[in-house]
Amino acid sequence: MDFVSVRIITGNLDPMVEFYEKLTETTADRPAPVFAEFHYPTCTLALGHTSTARLFNNAARPAANETAIIEWMVDDVDAEYDRLKPIVSNWEQEPTLMPWGNKSILFRDPDGNLVNLFTPTTEDAIKRFRRQ
């Protein structure tokens, strides 16, 4: 089994695509007007318009997430915090050292989904994320 992607269903597809393009400094692939994908080395973030939810028996409801956190590891979380201030309007947490050794910022995307950017800072955290 290979973890491939996380998909967000949204009624605000174009603003969400623009937000994630600015956040990740990556251009989305748009294989259809109702769908976008952001490809990264470890996973894909997919965004689908609410009209695509019917393809999944309407099981996904846009802007209803209150449990999942979309996460990216970054080189310098403090620099990202400064860079993102102009585009993030809903901050949940300024740069904070977490008990497991990551320095983290937490904010919401335009649909209210939680996004976490973090940098491993302790020796143990750095070891956990060291790529072979």
Side-chain angles (χ1 to χ4, degrees):
M1 186 179 304
D2 191 13
F3 184 64
V4 176
S5 72
V6 171
R7 184 178 313 190
I8 298 172
I9 299 297
T10 178
N12 304 304
L13 184 62
D14 291 333
M16 287 281 282
V17 169
E18 181 180 341
F19 176 83
Y20 280 100
E21 284 181 334
K22 288 179 181 176
L23 171 66
T24 65
E25 298 178 316
T26 304
T27 302
D29 290 330
R30 299 289 297 260
V34 295
F35 189 71
E37 292 179 318
F38 293 88
H39 300 281
Y40 308 103
T42 55
C43 193
T44 295
L45 174 63
L47 302 175
H49 186 266
T50 52
S51 62
T52 66
R54 73 176 180 275
L55 301 170
F56 300 98
N57 296 320
N58 292 313
R61 291 176 287 285
N65 170 35
E66 297 205 7
T67 59
I69 303 173
I70 303 162
E71 299 184 302
W72 279 273
M73 183 170 57
V74 298
D75 291 332
D76 183 346
V77 75
D78 292 309
E80 291 298 320
Y81 178 66
D82 290 336
R83 181 180 73 82
L84 295 173
K85 284 180 183 178
I87 69 165
V88 173
S89 58
N90 192 347
W91 289 96
E92 296 291 342
Q93 176 181 289
E94 296 179 353
T96 303
L97 182 59
M98 306 307 284
W100 44 90
N102 295 337
K103 192 169 188 183
S104 173
I105 55 176
L106 187 66
F107 52 94
R108 293 189 182 273
D109 72 14
D111 272 9
N113 299 296
L114 285 169
V115 178
N116 178 40
L117 302 186
F118 69 92
T119 301
T121 59
T122 65
E123 188 176 326
D124 286 342
I126 292 167
K127 282 182 191 175
R128 276 197 315 276
F129 289 100
R130 186 171 291 134
R131 293 201 168 95
Q132 305 295 337

